[in-house]
Amino acid sequence: MKKSKEIKAGTMNVEKFIDNKVREIQEAVGEGIAINALSGGVDSSVVTALGHRALGKRLKTYFIDNGIMREKEPANVAAAFKKLGIQVEVLDASKAFFSALKGLTDPEEKREAITQTFYKNVFSKLVVKSKAKYLLQGTILTDVDETVAGIKRQHNVFEQLGIDPQKAFGYMILEPLIELRKDGVRKVGEGLGLPKSMFDRIPFPGPALSARVIGEVTPARIALVRKATAIVESVLKDTNAFQYLAILHEDRVTGMRNKKRVFGNQIEIRCWESIDARTATPTRLSFDILEGVAAKITKSIPDVVSVTYNITTKPTSTIEAV
Ligand code: XMP
């Protein structure tokens, strides 16, 4: 199993890193065409900007709308990149993802369904159409570590798992950020001239909101966690925390609506202090903030009757729930 060396954010020479990676991408792709999928997260945004610096229009960037993204995410991300002179094509593939997720409750099976739908169903077809032989991907060292350690099967690490992507999917994967952790990736984003809102964005997982739905992922359950996510992100955006999120639980609990007992949903809020996502501690949010966010969620989402806050460190918890 291949393990890349680590380049630490504190000691890295950002300019040199960018120059080296631009050259490596240019050498690998030659006169050909590369393709990449942008999710709007920090890693994929940075790799998109890096790839465009190396290849210009010979890098085709797609935003695959899998239906499990945050509120207005596809349009917002495409608009932000347009401002940078980078054309992003948005493709609605939500039906394919929801049908693959139907009936699945096991976390690894859900991740696998997303991986397979993404690569085999949607992305490989785009690759064939674009005639690209190279796929640029924003895998980082933490993804590799956690996959190797068996903590989680990240969606983007075929090579580390010993799967030959050329054989499995017909194309080669380039991973220029694989020696970096999140703090290093942010520095590269800054060095590439991305706006702070892009490189300093809180991390967001590849499996998107399905990493935050315990149990079956349906359009209705995604819509619910999406609303809760929007509220949590807007209330906690000034906390300076590493990451904050809302999780929809599978179990229902008894609550009260209009003086009647109802069996409603529960949302768990998590807010993390971390440097590189390998370990994390819960942010000591004030009770005023916590009560405020709970009140907003139960007011805006009638199906939710209970809101909790996670007070466990990683480990034993992980940052996401699935
Ligand atoms: P966990 O939940 O493993 O998350 O403690 C660690 C960090 O990684 C993000 N995360 C992912 N990122 N693909 C990604 O690109 C994934 O499958 C994935 N799962 C988790 C998570 O948001 C956190 O920042």
Side-chain angles (χ1 to χ4, degrees):
M1 197 170 283
K2 207 172 76 184
K3 168 92 162 71
S4 301
K5 66 177 192 308
E6 177 169 356
I7 298 177
K8 294 215 190 272
T11 53
M12 79 186 289
N13 179 333
V14 176
E15 301 275 290
K16 204 169 138 204
F17 179 89
I18 292 171
D19 287 348
N20 286 344
K21 293 299 163 187
V22 163
R23 207 180 43 247
E24 279 172 32
I25 294 168
Q26 288 169 338
E27 280 170 9
V29 177
E31 292 305 306
I33 291 169
I35 186 169
N36 84 310
L38 169 66
S39 71
V42 178
D43 306 341
S44 80
S45 295
V46 171
V47 92
T48 298
L50 191 62
H52 276 269
R53 179 164 295 188
L55 303 171
K57 289 204 162 123
R58 286 188 297 118
L59 175 63
K60 310 274 177 223
T61 298
Y62 291 92
F63 186 103
I64 292 168
D65 182 359
N66 52 16
I68 51 180
M69 297 281 175
R70 284 174 287 186
E71 222 166 67
K72 301 192 182 82
E73 185 77 358
N76 287 349
V77 172
F81 273 87
K82 197 170 175 195
K83 271 197 190 150
L84 299 170
I86 295 174
Q87 180 74 28
V88 175
E89 197 173 317
V90 179
L91 191 102
D92 181 3
S94 48
K95 275 199 188 126
F97 283 89
F98 280 121
S99 87
L101 285 162
K102 201 168 175 10
L104 301 183
T105 53
D106 178 80
E108 290 305 303
E109 283 180 15
K110 291 194 304 193
R111 282 176 169 262
E112 186 63 14
I114 292 167
T115 306
Q116 294 300 328
T117 305
F118 181 85
Y119 286 100
K120 283 199 169 154
N121 234 352
V122 182
F123 203 49
S124 59
K125 287 182 188 143
L126 279 180
V127 175
V128 172
K129 213 176 93 187
S130 72
K131 300 195 168 41
K133 292 251 157 50
Y134 297 89
L135 162 61
L136 202 63
Q137 191 152 265
T139 316
I140 69 170
L141 198 52
T142 312
D143 300 334
V144 180
D145 279 348
E146 300 215 326
T147 305
V148 171
I151 295 168
K152 202 170 277 180
R153 165 130 193 217
Q154 299 283 352
H155 76 298
N156 52 4
V157 277
F158 293 112
E159 287 192 300
Q160 287 69 31
L161 288 166
I163 299 168
D164 180 350
Q166 180 96 53
K167 260 197 213 138
F169 301 108
Y171 47 91
M172 289 291 297
I173 296 182
L174 303 174
E175 297 173 313
L177 308 180
I178 202 148
E179 297 137 312
L180 305 179
R181 298 201 186 271
K182 195 69 83 185
D183 45 352
V185 178
R186 293 193 206 283
K187 280 192 150 182
V188 174
E190 187 173 19
L192 285 164
L194 294 184
K196 191 169 158 57
S197 58
M198 230 182 242
F199 70 76
D200 214 17
R201 204 171 185 198
I202 55 169
F204 190 69
L209 294 174
S210 75
R212 299 171 181 180
V213 170
I214 302 174
E216 190 181 4
V217 178
T218 63
R221 302 191 79 218
I222 286 290
L224 200 157
V225 83
R226 181 182 283 130
K227 267 195 199 160
T229 302
I231 294 168
V232 168
E233 288 192 355
S234 87
V235 174
L236 301 186
K237 69 177 186 307
D238 296 325
T239 56
N240 263 332
F242 177 81
Q243 197 167 354
Y244 30 87
L245 49 129
I247 290 160
L248 174 61
H249 278 250
E250 188 170 23
D251 287 342
R252 296 210 163 206
V253 288
T254 299
M256 291 174 68
R257 285 278 179 204
N258 306 319
K259 298 189 182 144
K260 284 205 184 97
R261 287 163 75 86
V262 291
F263 210 38
N265 286 287
Q266 328 182 45
I267 287 286
E268 175 188 335
I269 298 169
R270 294 182 180 185
C271 183
W272 297 106
E273 301 302 311
S274 179
I275 301 290
D276 56 20
R278 281 185 294 177
T279 59
T281 53
T283 304
R284 295 191 170 215
L285 294 173
S286 76
F287 252 82
D288 285 347
I289 292 180
L290 287 169
E291 284 181 347
V293 73
K296 262 196 171 163
I297 288 173
T298 50
K299 189 162 174 240
S300 319
I301 315 175
D303 284 345
V304 176
V305 295
S306 167
V307 177
T308 62
Y309 186 57
N310 174 59
I311 49 167
T312 321
T313 56
K314 173 184 178 176
T316 51
S317 182
T318 53
I319 286 179
E320 306 291 343
V322 169

